[in-house]
Amino acid sequence: MNRKSKPHKVIYTAYVATSIDGRIAESHQSGIDWTSKEDWNFFQKSLNKMDAVIVGHNTYKVSKDRLKRRNTIVLTSKINKLKTQDKIVFFNPKNSSLEKFLSSKGYKNIAVLGGGKVYDFCLSNKMLDELFVTIEPYVFTNGVPMFSGIRFRKYKFSLVTVKRLNKTGTLLLKYKNEN
Ligand SMILES: NC(=O)c1ccc[n+]([C@@H]2O[C@H](COP(=O)([O-])OP(=O)(O)OC[C@H]3O[C@@H](n4cnc5c(N)ncnc54)[C@H](OP(=O)(O)O)[C@@H]3O)[C@@H](O)[C@H]2O)c1
């Protein structure tokens, strides 16, 4: 293999803001206006270092305006062929390899932004190397779970850092995927 065609390592970093009870939203259509400004600042700063982001169709619909300035891959089952709109690519991973597509674009750092179905898809397809979990001090009692798998699986993560972001007790945890 010559130097030019050598595949590069892509790093996938997931960002999740959650309630204490592991919920990321009230409903599949709600926004993320309940998170702290300290987490928001951390999140935006982190995204600026990323080459592209991956989101699910529901998350895209609620965050369209903010995502349009980033290289965004929207996962959807509703299309057969890849569809591009400026910086947004609608992609159906059933029809072709998402990893191959991202690699062909030359992306090195990719942010996995959810929601629950996308975190689960990336985790089960070895596309989740690091995980930032922000725990906001709320209990939601119901809502969208962080990972929406259809069957039980167990993945091992190791804790890298813990940071308290503010006086109200928002915690930022960084994990590394050990699988
Ligand atoms: N707190 C947080 O950190 C955080 C982060 C992200 C999102 N959210 C919130 O979470 C909610 C949305 O989460 P969600 O779990 O409902 O949805 P989601 O993962 O954003 O979107 C689910 C949809 O994306 C498409 N999709 C996802 N994975 C796919 C795959 N592997 N193959 C093909 N299509 C795929 C499907 O759309 P089609 O129906 O088009 O096939 C699916 O119905 C929103 O309220 C959002 O604000 C919170």
Side-chain angles (χ1 to χ4, degrees):
M1 191 179 280
N2 66 31
R3 264 185 127 189
K4 242 182 168 174
S5 61
K6 197 173 172 193
H8 57 265
K9 168 84 181 119
V10 178
I11 308 284
Y12 295 92
T13 306
Y15 296 87
V16 190
T18 178
S19 63
I20 297 167
D21 53 337
R23 310 289 178 162
I24 62 167
E26 179 180 354
S27 78
H28 296 282
Q29 290 80 35
S30 51
I32 46 162
D33 45 0
W34 54 277
T35 57
S36 60
K37 78 168 187 306
E38 291 80 8
D39 178 58
W40 186 252
N41 292 342
F42 158 75
F43 181 50
Q44 294 304 313
K45 226 168 138 183
S46 306
L47 289 192
N48 291 340
K49 295 180 211 146
M50 294 287 158
D51 299 315
V53 306
I54 305 175
V55 291
H57 209 177
N58 294 345
T59 299
Y60 173 71
K61 283 177 196 157
V62 295
S63 315
K64 237 182 220 178
D65 286 347
R66 283 196 303 268
L67 289 171
K68 67 182 177 208
R69 63 197 169 93
R70 305 193 184 277
N71 295 322
T72 302
I73 294 89
V74 182
L75 301 192
T76 174
S77 61
K78 301 267 161 51
I79 52 161
N80 290 321
K81 249 178 49 199
L82 175 152
K83 201 175 109 192
T84 306
Q85 262 172 27
D86 301 321
K87 292 183 149 212
I88 315 286
V89 175
F90 294 88
F91 195 95
N92 184 348
K94 267 230 169 90
N95 294 340
S96 38
S97 159
L98 179 57
E99 271 203 281
K100 275 192 189 148
F101 170 75
L102 296 168
S103 181
S104 75
K105 289 283 190 186
Y107 298 146
K108 291 198 174 86
N109 290 292
I110 296 180
V112 177
L113 302 188
K117 287 192 182 132
V118 170
Y119 293 132
D120 189 69
F121 172 82
C122 289
L123 182 58
S124 48
N125 285 283
K126 299 190 189 314
M127 296 169 71
L128 203 157
D129 301 300
E130 300 174 328
L131 173 62
F132 283 95
V133 179
T134 300
I135 306 177
E136 295 288 1
Y138 297 103
V139 168
F140 281 180
T141 73
N142 203 329
V144 180
M146 197 188 291
F147 286 83
S148 325
I150 41 173
R151 59 186 172 83
F152 178 83
R153 285 164 287 138
K154 191 160 81 180
Y155 292 91
K156 183 148 176 53
F157 281 77
S158 60
L159 184 64
V160 180
T161 53
V162 181
K163 231 182 186 172
R164 184 177 173 147
L165 294 188
N166 56 28
K167 282 191 179 149
T168 54
T170 302
L171 293 181
L172 174 63
L173 314 179
K174 179 181 180 185
Y175 290 97
K176 190 168 153 263
N177 190 345
E178 293 294 346
N179 301 284

